[in-house]
Structure formats: C-alpha cells, structure tokens
Amino acid sequence: STISTSYNSSATIILTDYFARNTEIPEKKKMQVLYLSTAIIGLIGMLIAIAMINTKSALDTWWKFASIFSGGVLGLFFLSAFTSIQNVSVAILSVVCGLIVIIIMTISSFFPEWSSFWGQFHSYLSIVFGTTTIFITGFGLGSLLKRKGS
C-alpha cells in the first residue's frame, strides 16, 4: 500500500502542477495523464531497483545521490544568502562549475587516471567540494564583475 500511495500521489502532483495548472482539462484526459505518469514512475522505480541489485548498502548509495543532488542547491542557497550578487549568469556559471566538481568526484572511482587526485577524497565529500566551488566561484565572479562595473 505504501508504494501505490507514493505512485498515486506523485501522479497527482504531476497532473495538478504541470498539466492542469491554469486550464480546464476534461476528466478523460486527466485520467490518461494519471495512468501514464503512474506507469512512468513505476518503470523508473523498477529501473532504479535493477540498478541497485549489486549495491552493498542502500544508505551508502543514498548518501552518494544526496551529494549529487543537494550540493548544487546548497551552494546556490549559500551564494544567495551570504552575498549580494544579483547576476543570474554568475549564479548559473557557479552552479555548473560546482556540478562538474560533484560529477567528477562521483565518477572518479570508475576512471583510474582521475583517482590520483580525486581518489584521495571520500565520495561523501563531493557535497562539500561542490558547495564550496559554487560559493567561491560565484563570490569571486560577482566581486570581479562588480569592480568592473563600478
């Protein structure tokens, strides 16, 4: 019952937030969207389950994925909370740089030539390095552009 509840609530969110936002959709079309999104969510869940068959620890895998997904958001939050940078291009470039660091740290174990530098750090540190890269890049570029603009 827990899985079906999650599928149904996710499908409802997709319907209400993306399809039926400001327009009136017929009930038949709504049901089609719900059925299709439930099927897609179910397939994605099965693919993730298959990919995790050889996983030793679900918690380790969770921490790796949390580093990938939350590092960019946390860095962008710090950039907006602790600086006065209002340039969207700087923020986007900073997030891209941070995500590159996070991705390199995440996949470095698959490439021995990268492991000489990145291999010395634990994969859980990718969120720290990614967040720091976003903040420092954004702060530096923002300050540089402010000086040139002044």
Side-chain angles (χ1 to χ4, degrees), residues 2-21:
T2 303
I3 292 174
S4 68
T5 304
S6 297
Y7 286 173
N8 290 333
S9 61
S10 298
T12 304
I13 289 170
I14 290 171
L15 173 69
T16 57
D17 287 354
Y18 298 108
F19 287 97
R21 198 163 225 191

Side-chain angles (χ1 to χ4, degrees), residues 45 69 72 95-96 111:
F69 296 122
V95 170
V96 168
F111 299 100

